[in-house]
Amino acid sequence: MNISHFATRNIKALLFLTVALCIAGGWVATTFPVSILPDVTFPRVKIIVDSGDRPVRTMEAAIARPIEEAIATVPGLNKIRTKIQRGGMEMSADFNWGADMITTQQLVGARVNEVRAQLPSETKITVERMNPTVFPVLGISLRASGLSPSELWSLATYTIKPRLSRVPGVARCEIQGGRVPEIAVDVQPSRLSLYKLSLPDVELAIQQANVVRAAGRFDDKFQQYELLVSGETTTADQLGDITVAQRNGIPISLKQIANVHISVQDNVTLVSADGKESVLLNIVRQPEANSMAVVDGVKKELDTLRPSLPKGAETSVFYDQSVLIGEAVGSVRDAVIIGAVLAVIMLMLFLADLRATIVTASIIPATVLITFLLMRLAGLTLNLMTLGALAIATGLVIDDAIVVVENVVRHLSRGASKLDAVRSAAGEIAAPMISSTLTTVVVFLPLSLLSGVAGAFFTALAVTLSIAMMVSLMLALLVSPSLCAAFLKVRGNHEEYGSLFRRLLKLYSAVLRFGIR
């Protein structure tokens, strides 16, 4: 039994299966993660170090060199690049393409933790992978005429950031600008020498006093409570009352040897919006999140939060990646629709048969919907590369269906019965269709074998296009014959093609005769 016989004998089952797959594909299309680029994880791990105000030479000798020596033993390491500035360092560790970056990140983090004890105690280290999701999808500016830069930073950090961070799909909310409030301790050297103290003594006293410790627990009415002793200081007066040492039984407080006052951290970045100093909040999405849904959720949460902000506080969007994504998706969607409409018009002009045109055109949406389902199973997302592949495939996916329907129409016009015409027509062109489709797939599929950045992006295009072509082939071999057997009618002689095609055929014959002469 060949494919055409199988298709005509199982018409209802094949149509039911196709409709079910199309419904599943339509539902899956609404759950696709949407982004501007494919979700590609580059083989790079970044190590970001913050170590106060240490000079560059100290950063290089005491921090950079131990970390470089530690991560040099990670398998697959290709290159290390380090940028050092006063109090900060950014190290990029490049690995071979194809490496499992989740495992690699864990190995790098483990190596860094091994040498953490050798680094200065206040050193802060962050280890993260590089992928397109590290770039913000939404940027919000916050400004207020009646608030100081430090109050503006506190408003963004303690009021707005927690609310935006809980929006589904948000990985983190980064804050730039403003002035970070702090309590400054200006130690007087003359007073230190008077009480025979040193700077490490002052630093140790502040660290030991500014803690929260558990002091025990007690039971009450079948409930257990934990007792905490808090030494945290929130004001300059509380910090000034800390006892640094004792001399002859007399406690020496911090305010006796230093000037303690409210201050702000040194400003190294100036951020302004509409000519006024402001704070920026950058929203970074999770790797599997939908950029459009994340942006919409953040904007709704911001609208809910805006009435509770202090008087004079204003928020505005200065960067919105969803606009670019929406325009890109819309342009590709329009290209697919226009291409499908033009293909249907050409079919109607050449075949001059509404039923044959509908049968052929139905393959386009069916192919797209089933392709969505297979793309989701393959872990692909909707982005410029996958949507571009669908736009390219619009004209290709309908070719197989055109060939099947046209051959069925030709057999029907010669007086054959419907089932015989469908079986003969599909059987005659099955082998050429398979070879033609596989030839197209073979042309595009090697793009997935490229390495580097080009391979990371073109793999999505090649896989999507190959899936669409194979789905089109299966629909043309199984569904198109079933639709022809169910909906096409037997046509009389001399109605094999439409009038436009017959005129073009006559013109082509005349050109051939003229050439022979």
Side-chain angles (χ1 to χ4, degrees), residues 215-280:
R217 62 179 182 270
F218 71 94
D219 298 330
D220 181 31
K221 296 180 181 179
F222 303 101
Q223 291 185 346
Q224 190 175 76
Y225 298 89
E226 186 175 9
L227 299 178
L228 299 178
V229 176
S230 176
E232 289 184 315
T233 55
T234 57
T235 64
D237 293 337
Q238 292 177 351
L239 187 63
D241 291 336
I242 291 177
T243 299
V244 178
Q246 289 186 358
R247 293 293 181 266
N248 299 323
I250 301 175
I252 301 172
S253 62
L254 183 61
K255 61 185 178 183
Q256 292 180 256
I257 58 175
N259 296 326
V260 184
H261 59 90
I262 300 296
S263 180
V264 293
Q265 290 184 2
D266 294 338
N267 187 24
V268 295
T269 304
L270 180 62
V271 176
S272 63
D274 295 333
K276 299 179 180 179
E277 188 170 358
S278 62
V279 173
L280 304 184

Side-chain angles (χ1 to χ4, degrees), residues 155-216:
L155 176 64
T157 303
Y158 302 116
T159 303
I160 300 179
K161 180 179 178 179
R163 294 283 296 272
L164 300 185
S165 298
R166 72 183 187 184
V167 174
V170 174
R172 62 181 182 272
C173 179
E174 300 175 344
I175 296 179
Q176 293 180 335
R179 304 290 179 89
V180 182
E182 65 178 11
I183 300 177
V185 178
D186 298 331
V187 180
Q188 303 297 319
S190 59
R191 299 180 185 177
L192 279 180
S193 60
L194 177 63
Y195 293 106
K196 298 180 180 180
L197 295 174
S198 62
L199 287 177
D201 295 332
V202 177
E203 183 179 2
L204 181 61
I206 295 176
Q207 290 178 353
Q208 291 179 344
N210 197 30
V211 295
V212 177
R213 293 178 180 177

